[in-house]
Amino acid sequence: MNAGTDIGIGAIHCLLPDTRVAVEDLPEFAMLDTASADFARGSGVRTVGVFDENEQAPLAARACRELFEAHPGEPDVLLLVAPRAPDVLLGSDVCRVQSEAKLNSAYPLTVEGLGCTGSSTAWALARDLLVADPRREQIVIAHASRPTGVDRIRFPVTVVGDGAFAMTMVRGGRPVLRAHREQADGSFHDLFRVEYKETPWYEWREVCQDLSRYRFQLATLSSRRLGAMVDQVLADAGVDRDRVKATLMQNVTASAYDFYTSLLGLPIHPVCGRHLAEYGHLGAADVVLNMDALLASGELDQGDLVLVLNNSQVAAWAVTLWEV
């Protein structure tokens, strides 16, 4: 991709709650068995942010409104990274976001079924949509994270907080998306599930069908896939590992940072751990929040490279290289 067709980030706006709740003060904590309680205490999450709103689409719409209040624009496409459970069945969450955010010029689309990895897929798709049609000038991506049901402690995965983001992809944006790879293994499609059709929402519980398959088989596969994909992305961009200034990933557990630092030989930036401890896991919003904070920190110079890793429990993986 030459300089005339560079596509990158136009603006980012993250929406975070003012209210924080300690993990051990969550309503479900007192009902946990020993293994689940020990997991929650050792996850690296100290508090989670909590919004008063129960629905996700209004939070995503609010993130969009506030983004465009600060950075006026008329997006051509709205890409909603769908939550794990929609607000409505038969209706359209993405069309609700379009309506409530007053993005009348934006054609609404949804990236669904990829969990946390959806945000990385969305920015790659946004880049492709801009490349495909020179009449398009701006794509907006949005997502809101809330727990499925009432429980925030997702044993054996993470502890969920509330948050939302909106970001734009434009020609000439910075950081520039330099290289991207993504893969998935559909055999893990039902490793986690919520029985919801005959159960009221306040009784929804996420269940892992096979703990050993999650902890060992998926973990081993993820390490192998992400390791290879990092090599591929760096080769695509024609750069060596020592050129990478910072590496970011999603915020699931503190132990994951040590694992991937050891695996890749690239230290995971501390901003990830700080956000995990303060806000918990924000689904597909994690990597966007971490990127936004890193860019605002002032520690990067123009031309620095940032590697972003993303993966999810449905066995979807993505690696993106950005140039500041």
Side-chain angles (χ1 to χ4, degrees):
M1 191 180 295
N2 61 46
T5 58
D6 281 351
I7 292 170
I9 297 173
I12 299 175
H13 176 65
C14 295
L15 193 61
L16 297 168
D18 294 325
T19 301
R20 309 276 193 280
V21 178
V23 169
E24 295 191 28
D25 291 335
L26 291 171
E28 70 266 30
F29 189 87
M31 298 180 283
L32 296 177
D33 59 31
T34 300
S36 299
D38 289 346
F39 164 78
R41 290 190 188 97
S43 65
V45 182
R46 294 196 305 269
T47 60
V48 293
V50 177
F51 278 122
D52 292 333
E53 295 92 334
N54 289 322
E55 294 185 307
Q56 296 154 118
L59 289 173
R62 178 182 160 194
C64 290
R65 288 196 304 272
E66 293 180 1
L67 174 75
F68 287 109
E69 285 169 3
H71 306 277
E74 294 288 337
D76 301 285
V77 177
L78 163 65
L79 289 177
L80 180 68
V81 181
R84 300 315 303 272
D87 287 339
V88 295
L89 295 176
L90 282 184
S92 173
D93 288 356
V94 66
C95 286
R96 181 180 181 185
V97 174
Q98 183 213 43
S99 176
E100 294 192 7
K102 296 181 170 37
L103 298 177
N104 300 323
S105 65
Y107 187 78
L109 297 172
T110 300
V111 176
E112 192 271 338
L114 298 174
C116 310
T117 311
S119 50
S120 297
T121 299
W123 63 45
L125 177 58
R127 189 269 306 271
D128 291 347
L129 288 170
L130 290 169
V131 169
D133 189 343
R135 294 171 297 178
R136 297 188 184 112
E137 296 182 356
Q138 185 181 74
I139 312 292
V140 61
I141 303 166
H143 172 73
S145 171
R146 282 187 48 77
T148 301
V150 296
D151 291 351
R152 294 180 179 275
I153 297 171
R154 292 176 54 204
F155 175 77
V157 184
T158 189
V159 184
V160 177
D162 295 346
F165 78 84
M167 64 178 286
T168 55
M169 293 287 290
V170 299
R171 292 182 179 81
R174 310 287 303 199
V176 175
L177 198 162
R178 280 295 174 217
H180 176 87
R181 292 265 184 158
E182 55 191 41
Q183 296 180 9
D185 184 334
S187 67
F188 290 87
H189 68 96
D190 62 349
L191 183 57
F192 290 81
R193 47 189 309 166
V194 176
E195 298 297 340
Y196 73 95
K197 289 189 176 180
E198 297 180 3
T199 307
W201 71 269
Y202 50 82
E203 293 182 4
W204 288 0
R205 297 294 182 271
E206 182 174 340
V207 176
C208 178
Q209 306 296 314
D210 187 334
L211 286 176
S212 64
R213 192 171 187 225
Y214 171 74
R215 286 173 163 165
F216 301 108
Q217 188 176 347
L218 181 57
T220 301
L221 184 60
S222 294
S223 64
R224 188 165 64 245
R225 290 287 187 98
L226 280 174
M229 290 167 68
V230 166
D231 291 338
Q232 291 166 347
V233 163
L234 294 177
D236 291 342
V239 298
D240 297 325
R241 285 172 188 252
D242 58 9
R243 284 283 316 281
V244 176
K245 182 76 173 188
T247 303
L248 303 173
M249 62 178 291
Q250 82 274 27
N251 308 328
V252 181
T253 61
S255 60
Y257 305 135
D258 295 333
F259 176 78
Y260 282 105
T261 293
S262 175
L263 171 71
L264 302 173
L266 294 167
I268 305 301
H269 195 280
V271 70
C272 302
R274 292 197 296 269
H275 285 153
L276 174 71
E278 188 172 0
Y279 296 108
H281 174 56
L282 305 182
D286 279 344
V287 291
V288 180
L289 175 63
N290 294 340
M291 173 73 85
D292 189 40
L294 179 61
L295 294 174
S297 69
E299 63 184 89
L300 299 177
D301 297 320
Q302 186 167 338
D304 283 345
L305 299 179
V306 178
L307 193 67
V308 179
L309 318 177
N310 214 348
N311 65 68
S312 74
Q313 65 197 40
V314 296
W317 306 274
V319 177
T320 311
L321 186 69
W322 299 90
E323 180 182 329
V324 177

